[in-house]
Amino acid sequence: MPAVKDSMRGLAVFISDIRNCKSKEAEEKRINKELANIRSKFKGDKALDGYQKKKYVCKLLFIFLLGNDIDFGHMEAVNLLNSNKYTEKQIGYLFISVLISENNELMRLVQQNLKNDLASRNPVHVNLALECIANIGSKEMAEMFAPEIPKLLVMGDAGDTVKQSAALCLLKLFRTAPEMVPIGDWTSRVIHLLNDQHMGVVTAAVSLIEALVKRNPDDFKGCVSLSISRLARIVTSSYTDLQDYTYYFVPAPWLSVKLLRLLQNYPPPEDTTVRNRLAECLETILNKAVEPPKSKKVQHSNAKNAVLFEAISLIIHMDSDPSLLVRACSQLGQFLSNRETNLRYLALESMCLLATSEFSHDAVKRHQETVVTALKSERDVSVRQRAVDLLYAMCDRSNAEEIVGEMLTYLETADYSIRGELVLKIAILAEKYASDYTWYVDTILNLIRLAGDFVSEEVWYRAYAAKTVFEALEAPACHENMVKVGGYILGEFGNLIAGDARSSPSTQFQLLHGKFHLCSPPTRALLLSAYIKLVNLFPEIREDIIAVLESDANLRNSNVEIQQRASEYLSLARNSTQDVLATVLEEMPPFPERESSILAQLRKKKPAVEDAIRVRARKAAAEAGRQLRPHLPLAVARGVKLQGDIAGAESNTDSDLLGLDFGGSAPAAAAGGGGAGGGSVDLLSSILDVGVSSSSSSSAAPSAASGASAQRKTVVVGAGASGSIVGEENWHKFVCKNSGVLYENDILQVGVKCDYQQSSGRIVVYYGNKTPAPLAQFASVINLPDSSLTNQLGIQVKPVGDRVGASEQVNESSEMDSATFFQHWKQLSQPEQECQKIFQAKFPMDAETTKTKILGFGFSLLSNIDSNPANFVGAGIVQTKSGNIGSLFRLEPNQQAQMYRLTVHSIKPGVSKRLCELLETQI
């Protein structure tokens, strides 16, 4: 672009005046004066020259960027497009890109000017038109100009800047409307831009080709050899050869990364010469990574590492050169102990993919001890999660017990944000690499003991050790999942331990029935199925079980599933002979091998890694002549007929008996969800919800990954706590209201009601039992954060009953007239007393809804204060123990831009900022 020396002194003076304004009112007054002046110039003086039009259009653009509406001047901006001067045409296009919408009636004139400039012989005009098209980037623009822009891209006499702008403009239109970009003869010619002498053209062309390749890879196969050739020239050159494109002694790092990514869209080259040249390039990159740094600045290491990690990604994608894979693993291992958190994270993530390769799997296993140390000592939860992923990926038969043991140890203190996924990984590894049943059963039971809330149906169905379960059920405190496991196993295999006097038939039944009243309806339904199984195994306790089945608590239960099972099982127990019972309730037969449903759950969370692991496992299985995992004759199934209905699923011979997703069938219904009733709710899965919602977050770890949510039986209430079952929006809604439901599921409803009197407040938490039966042994615990905030607020916890009556709502507001308001407003104009924010509206901009939220917040709305009736003006008092803090606010909505400008003035420094932040979350 040509150098321009045009100061536009009038614009500079106007900007200086705005910056020197002492208050918002003074700024608005100056802006209104300028708008009036510009309007009069446009309407009255018809002899404005290009410079004056440009100056006034610039002022309008600046005023718009300050957050004000501009409803005139658009035609003047369009007229600037007809100018032959670069600066005037540039300002015209800039104004159009920012202020004129796609549906504006002036867009037809703009499009005509764009066509004229694209056909111009002046490359500056062509560039300005291409930039405007890309900035607007609408579907209409794509439809009109997408067929024309490729011609500029491959035109022989087009300048380098035009080719560069054309490539980037076409990329923007392709991303907006890919169907509008025609694929024709130009596609084969655009590939040759990779050989262009101008590095800027090559960089832009690579970005365009990479996007096009994802849509039509076969049309761009020729780019592979050209990309390798260009990459070889970059990596073998010194930083002095490409001075204009060298970044902190690293030659063209951005172009190198783009070329490496482009090559990952294709398999390794078939041509031996091309493949060897690519291997040499990758070796050169690996060699340069271990050279002493040429600069101590972080930009140098960042650029070098960016190229290195992308090269390693390409090595993993090719998966054909063992030496390169092992070298890549070795260099990644050095990053595991790097003090930079981001490098440790990237190293763990890349090694997860390396572990899936048969060539580098053993090399990755050498770093097992380092990864375990990272799992125990790493401060960032996202890095710990990657460490878990890597341990899972590197696990095989030789180290399965050690890795599973480390994972179980970590599970005791693991963040709630990764517990659900960690439980799935442990269960999969235990099932896949079980060397004997004892280790497998102990692992699953430990899993339930340590993280029962996160153990899904598919996991607990795999625990099949009657003696171990019986001993576990004897514990005073027993998790409901353990009761489900015990009910199933004792119903199927209780006869195996009945010879021991300590586990006689009567003792087994009493042990199970002792937990019956503490369980949710789905678990009770499962236990009834276990009881009828016991009738078949132990005829001597038939009468005891019949007495339970015919009790009103079961036959007349409000839960349809329990009522139906009790009725049908009672009829079966009374009227059937022992031969009929033995046939109907016989032990479940083994079922065919198939893919694990918990593995399918994990694949949904990490599809790329899991698919890669499956490929490696199948390769290994094919070589060894065996199946993917050892056959564990775990006799359990759901559906088919009554002996398989311990969980009560519907009869269906094609059903997924264990939720293992075999043959493409859908996972089986949750326990207790079948039968003719079909209406019972799986309350346990609504609490555990593994695989449906992510696990809860941990505020202690500084990671973006800590924002996930999960459902737990324990409701954690507190700003610093992991409110997993209470979404962020549930907390925020209490900023503008004093009562409401905090959490609700099929069993429990938790509500909050607050009332405030001056500097004192009371928060009442109430619990509602939604089940027909009482909640036994129910208790609530309030944990106060151990921080200075607790002492400042003077929090006192008062124990109350299970239900607390509602209290009245009190808002502390303030009333005043216009004169009083502006008097206080000006008095509170010090920088530390004022806070102003301009932000996008998070909700529909409805005046009544906004008014309700402001009143709920505690402010009073003052009428006839602001000259603009659409604005909200109000006042309020923050009452504390040490005194009252007066606050004023002004909220200015901009319907066209869907934005707000909020200004808060407060007597005490810091209060206005906090009030501003809270109000922003609500509107």
Side-chain angles (χ1 to χ4, degrees), residues 376-436:
K376 295 177 180 178
S377 60
E378 185 62 53
R379 296 177 61 186
D380 193 323
V381 63
S382 61
V383 181
R384 293 199 296 272
Q385 188 165 5
R386 295 288 82 76
V388 171
D389 293 342
L390 181 53
L391 286 175
Y392 173 75
M394 70 168 62
C395 187
D396 56 23
R397 292 190 184 282
S398 64
N399 58 4
E401 293 192 15
E402 184 179 354
I403 287 179
V404 170
E406 294 290 352
M407 285 184 169
L408 282 172
T409 303
Y410 174 62
L411 183 61
E412 298 185 33
T413 57
D415 302 87
Y416 283 99
S417 60
I418 63 175
R419 278 199 173 191
E421 185 179 328
L422 184 58
V423 165
L424 287 176
K425 283 179 166 33
I426 295 173
I428 291 168
L429 295 179
E431 177 184 294
K432 185 184 293 186
Y433 300 118
S435 54
D436 60 76

Side-chain angles (χ1 to χ4, degrees), residues 353 406 420 592 693 739 745 839 913:
L353 299 175
E406 294 290 352
S693 65
S739 63
N745 67 5
F839 51 88
K913 181 180 179 182

Side-chain angles (χ1 to χ4, degrees), residues 134 533 597 635 665:
K533 287 272 190 174
S597 63
S665 61

Side-chain angles (χ1 to χ4, degrees), residues 681-689 711 743 745-747:
V681 181
D682 191 348
L683 301 182
L684 183 70
S685 64
S686 71
I687 295 176
L688 303 182
D689 210 10
Q711 292 194 347
Y743 167 69
N745 67 5
D746 294 332
I747 299 176

Side-chain angles (χ1 to χ4, degrees), residues 349-370:
E349 189 174 49
S350 298
M351 290 186 77
C352 285
L353 299 175
L354 276 174
T356 63
S357 172
E358 57 183 324
F359 301 116
S360 57
H361 183 74
D362 291 336
V364 173
K365 285 169 57 178
R366 298 192 197 106
H367 301 280
Q368 178 178 327
E369 186 177 346
T370 306

Side-chain angles (χ1 to χ4, degrees), residues 87-311:
T87 56
E88 294 173 10
K89 190 181 288 286
Q90 180 197 34
I91 295 301
Y93 275 129
L94 180 60
F95 186 95
I96 289 164
S97 301
V98 175
L99 270 86
I100 296 185
S101 64
E102 303 174 18
N103 302 322
N104 194 297
E105 58 186 9
L106 294 177
M107 191 55 71
R108 291 182 181 274
L109 293 175
V110 174
Q111 291 170 352
Q112 186 58 48
N113 280 281
L114 287 170
K115 285 184 178 180
N116 295 338
D117 285 337
L118 285 178
S120 171
R121 304 297 296 177
N122 189 336
V124 173
H125 295 176
V126 178
N127 270 331
L128 287 174
L130 289 170
E131 290 167 5
C132 182
I133 294 171
N135 286 335
I136 297 175
S138 63
K139 190 172 182 179
E140 185 178 353
M141 285 288 182
E143 185 177 2
M144 180 168 290
F145 295 108
E148 303 298 325
I149 296 175
K151 299 176 183 177
L152 297 173
L153 191 59
V154 297
M155 187 183 298
D157 58 348
D160 294 334
T161 56
V162 172
K163 290 181 181 179
Q164 190 172 351
S165 298
L168 296 177
C169 181
L170 190 60
L171 174 61
K172 176 62 181 292
L173 297 182
F174 180 79
R175 289 173 175 171
T176 302
E179 70 280 0
M180 298 296 179
V181 178
I183 302 298
D185 296 338
W186 65 272
T187 55
S188 58
R189 297 174 62 185
V190 77
I191 294 174
H192 294 285
L193 291 178
L194 296 175
N195 276 334
D196 198 281
Q197 294 181 353
H198 194 279
M199 296 289 285
V201 175
V202 178
T203 305
V206 171
S207 300
L208 175 61
I209 293 171
E210 185 183 4
L212 295 172
V213 160
K214 297 184 186 304
R215 180 183 175 190
N216 300 298
D218 293 338
D219 294 338
F220 297 90
K221 285 183 177 179
C223 71
V224 174
S225 58
L226 294 177
S227 298
I228 294 173
S229 176
R230 173 62 74 170
L231 182 64
R233 278 181 272 170
I234 295 174
V235 299
T236 56
S237 64
S238 66
Y239 64 88
T240 57
D241 297 334
L242 298 170
Q243 289 185 354
D244 291 341
Y245 289 88
T246 295
Y247 181 77
Y248 286 88
F249 304 100
V250 181
W254 286 278
L255 179 55
S256 300
V257 168
K258 288 177 182 292
L259 290 169
L260 290 166
R261 286 182 181 172
L262 176 59
L263 292 171
Q264 291 176 46
N265 292 286
Y266 293 98
E270 296 180 0
D271 190 305
T272 306
T273 305
V274 177
R275 187 167 61 249
N276 292 340
R277 191 172 188 185
L278 177 57
E280 291 174 4
C281 291
L282 295 174
E283 283 184 6
T284 304
I285 293 174
L286 294 178
N287 291 335
K288 286 187 174 183
V290 297
E291 291 177 358
K294 295 181 174 65
S295 173
K296 293 183 179 180
K297 292 188 176 181
V298 67
Q299 291 91 338
H300 173 71
S301 59
N302 285 345
K304 191 165 68 170
N305 290 333
V307 177
L308 172 63
F309 277 105
E310 208 60 54

